[in-house]
Structures are given as C-alpha cells and as structure tokens.
Amino acid sequence: EMAASGYDFNNLHHHFLLLSLVITSCDLSINVKMFEESSVIVRDHIYSEFFSEGDMEKELGRTPMQQNDRKKACIPSLQIKFNDFILAPLYTLLIKLLPPAQIVVDQLEENRL
C-alpha cells in the first residue's frame, strides 16, 4: 500500500513500516557489498553458523534443513535463491520509497553475475 501511494510523513504506520524496511535492509546488507567481500563473510561466518546448528540438530536425531546440512548444502545455489526470493523483492520495495537506494540493487544484480 505505502509503496503504491507513497510515504506519508504524517502517518505513524508509514513511519513504522519504513523503519522496519530500512532496518531489515541493513541487517541483510552483507549480500549487497562487493562480491569479493561478501562471499567470504557469507561462506566463513554465516554458513559456519548454519552448519553448527545443523550439526547440533543431527546430534539430537533431527534432520536439519538443507542450508544447515554441511553435506547437502550448495552455498552458491542457496545464495542465488536467497537473493532472488528475499533480497531482490526487499530492495525493490526499498527503492520505490527511497530511489537513491538503487545503487544497492545494482550491486545485488552485479553480484549475481
């Protein structure tokens, strides 16, 4: 609704939604840094955490999600899916409200290549 009608500075709900969008965008921003930097952080830190969780789930006799299973996870494929289904829609919405954020979408697209 807000993306279609535009941000209303007098609408507290719009303010809350925009802040939520910006905070989420910042939280996921590692994926829109230059690929050389982001790929190392994603591989060495984020997936390390995912795999540790998967190892604990296996110890408890549970089947971990594919992204948490170090034997089944294909990091490049998982990252492309995350970019396409989570990040692209998020940042596309962000640039509707904050057009200067287009640079972020451009970097995300460049990283996908």
Side-chain angles (χ1 to χ4, degrees):
E1 167 195 331
M2 182 175 65
S5 64
Y7 179 75
D8 178 358
F9 288 92
N10 297 316
N11 184 325
L12 288 177
H13 185 63
H14 280 198
H15 183 69
F16 173 78
L17 291 174
L18 182 60
L19 284 177
S20 298
L21 180 65
V22 170
I23 289 169
T24 301
S25 298
C26 292
D27 188 37
L28 300 174
S29 67
I30 186 60
N31 294 283
V32 294
K33 294 184 184 301
M34 293 183 67
F35 181 76
E36 294 78 17
E37 179 183 352
S38 67
S39 63
V40 171
I41 293 170
V42 166
R43 183 191 68 232
D44 293 348
H45 298 285
I46 296 174
Y47 277 93
S48 174
E49 183 179 329
F50 287 173
F51 294 156
S52 292
E53 183 179 324
D55 294 343
M56 286 190 291
E57 290 173 350
K58 285 181 178 181
E59 288 176 14
L60 294 171
R62 299 180 183 150
T63 302
M65 295 188 316
Q66 180 184 1
Q67 74 181 27
N68 295 359
D69 190 331
R70 67 178 72 245
K71 293 182 180 176
K72 294 181 182 176
C74 176
I75 294 173
S77 175
L78 291 168
Q79 280 305 110
I80 289 171
K81 289 176 185 174
F82 185 71
N83 287 354
D84 290 350
F85 297 107
I86 304 295
L87 298 178
L90 171 73
Y91 289 112
T92 298
L93 179 58
L94 182 66
I95 63 171
K96 286 181 181 178
L97 298 165
L98 299 169
Q102 179 64 46
I103 191 169
V104 173
V105 173
D106 295 343
Q107 185 63 52
L108 182 64
E109 291 172 358
E110 185 176 322
N111 287 352
R112 195 175 189 293
L113 302 175

